[in-house]
Amino acid sequence: MLKAYSRMSIENKGRVLLKLSGEALAGDKKTGFDAKTVLRVAREVKKLKDLGVEIGVVIGGGNFWRGRTGEELTRSKADQIGMMATIMNCIYVSEIFRSVGMKTAILTPFECGSFTKLFSKDRANKYFEKGMVVFFAGGTGHPYFSTDTGVVLRAIEVEAEVILLAKSIDGVYDSDPKLNPNAKLGYDDGVYYYTPDSWYDEAFHNSFRQAYNLSTSGSKSGLNYYASAGYLKDAGIINNSDYQRYTARLNADYQAKNWLKFVASMSYSHSI
């Protein structure tokens, strides 16, 4: 699984991210977990860890969920189920890694109670410094993005030097190659399906962030007030992640008597 790099070439890398296929964890069972397969993966990773390499892991969810197969679910809900599948995989594999002598931590882009910790670059770096294998579960936290996108994002954020892919396909197809033997990779009839060398440029772009704020305050006859309004427009570095936010706030207090004071506060926020 790690034979694409020699032991010496990996040893020279300070931090790597390993992307594992969820389906691979199932072995011949095709679904769920195959304990022997996962244990074999853990032992291979342990060899890499013993070289002094800092390791992050992203796991797909294909052993539980292959995405929407009908119209019963929206794409957003189907992708949310997929995110939960990756979390289950990381919890299981993390425990197997621990059983062979590695320390682990699981980070997610959204709260999962006591099961995981919320992702931040500082937290990930702290875990790496402690010699832990860090699992990045839950994808990007947003629908329409695969775990392949997630591994690239996390690699950039934690400044990994190498991404190691343990996958059963060689790129991004127009349909699932497991289900469709005629699935196509690359160009076809004017439609461009991303290949390993091109999809990153198609998914990301340079962007601008605009923020405007207006405020006023004053005092008259015992009345003090402060009012503000704001507008934020963020194009986002990921395609289709742009959003706008409108905010408003009003604070006021009125001293009616030496012993009586009225205070009011209102706020409004709307995002599109």
Side-chain angles (χ1 to χ4, degrees):
M1 188 170 295
L2 301 179
K3 294 180 180 178
Y5 284 84
S6 68
R7 174 178 289 262
M8 183 61 69
S9 65
I10 295 178
E11 187 175 8
N12 292 331
K13 306 301 180 184
R15 182 175 295 175
V16 303
L17 249 64
L18 174 62
K19 170 59 168 56
L20 297 174
S21 164
E23 292 172 289
L25 302 179
D28 295 334
K29 295 165 58 179
K30 304 299 181 183
T31 185
F33 303 109
D34 179 73
K36 291 182 179 180
T37 298
V38 180
L39 185 59
R40 185 169 66 250
V41 171
R43 288 169 176 163
E44 290 187 32
V45 175
K46 180 66 164 56
K47 295 176 183 177
L48 180 59
K49 192 74 183 70
D50 289 342
L51 296 176
V53 179
E54 296 177 344
I55 303 170
V57 180
V58 173
I59 307 176
N63 53 324
F64 287 111
W65 185 252
R66 290 293 300 175
R68 185 176 61 169
T69 57
E71 299 301 322
E72 298 83 6
L73 293 175
T74 65
R75 172 65 186 274
S76 293
K77 292 300 180 183
D79 286 356
Q80 288 172 3
I81 295 172
M83 294 176 207
M84 300 308 296
T86 70
I87 294 171
M88 291 191 295
N89 281 341
C90 284
I91 292 174
Y92 179 86
V93 176
S94 169
E95 287 304 302
I96 300 301
F97 276 28
R98 286 172 178 262
S99 74
V100 298
M102 290 181 278
K103 297 179 181 179
T104 65
I106 305 173
L107 300 178
T108 50
F110 44 80
E111 295 282 1
C112 291
S114 61
F115 297 155
T116 68
K117 294 291 187 180
L118 190 63
F119 169 80
S120 73
K121 179 178 179 179
D122 290 341
R123 178 170 281 162
N125 285 335
K126 180 181 71 175
Y127 290 151
F128 281 128
E129 290 168 2
K130 290 182 176 181
M132 305 174 81
V133 176
V134 183
F135 287 80
F136 299 102
T140 66
H142 300 282
Y144 300 97
F145 296 100
S146 71
T147 48
D148 287 340
T149 306
V151 71
V152 174
L153 283 173
R154 294 295 178 247
I156 294 171
E157 288 178 295
V158 302
E159 301 179 45
E161 298 179 53
V162 173
I163 298 175
L164 301 176
L165 297 177
K167 297 174 60 65
S168 58
I169 59 174
D170 54 1
V172 179
Y173 289 77
D174 61 341
S175 59
D176 191 339
K178 293 282 188 181
L179 304 177
N180 178 14
N182 298 315
K184 296 181 176 62
L185 173 69
Y187 289 96
D188 181 65
D189 297 330
V191 179
Y192 184 48
Y193 303 108
Y194 309 140
T195 61
D197 297 326
S198 64
W199 74 269
Y200 181 82
D201 291 333
E202 297 291 339
F204 299 92
H205 61 265
N206 295 325
S207 69
F208 292 94
R209 180 185 177 95
Q210 304 175 53
Y212 304 92
N213 291 282
L214 178 66
S215 64
T216 183
S217 62
S219 178
K220 184 177 181 180
S221 302
L223 174 66
N224 301 302
Y225 64 88
Y226 173 83
S228 65
Y231 170 70
L232 172 67
K233 183 177 182 180
D234 193 331
I237 64 170
I238 303 175
N239 290 338
N240 301 318
S241 67
D242 58 301
Y243 71 95
Q244 301 177 60
R245 179 180 297 156
Y246 299 87
T247 58
R249 186 176 184 85
L250 174 63
N251 295 328
D253 65 79
Y254 177 66
Q255 190 75 46
K257 302 288 185 179
N258 290 336
W259 51 271
L260 180 61
K261 186 176 185 179
F262 297 95
V263 178
S265 179
M266 295 182 292
S267 63
Y268 169 81
S269 178
H270 176 65
S271 298
I272 58 176

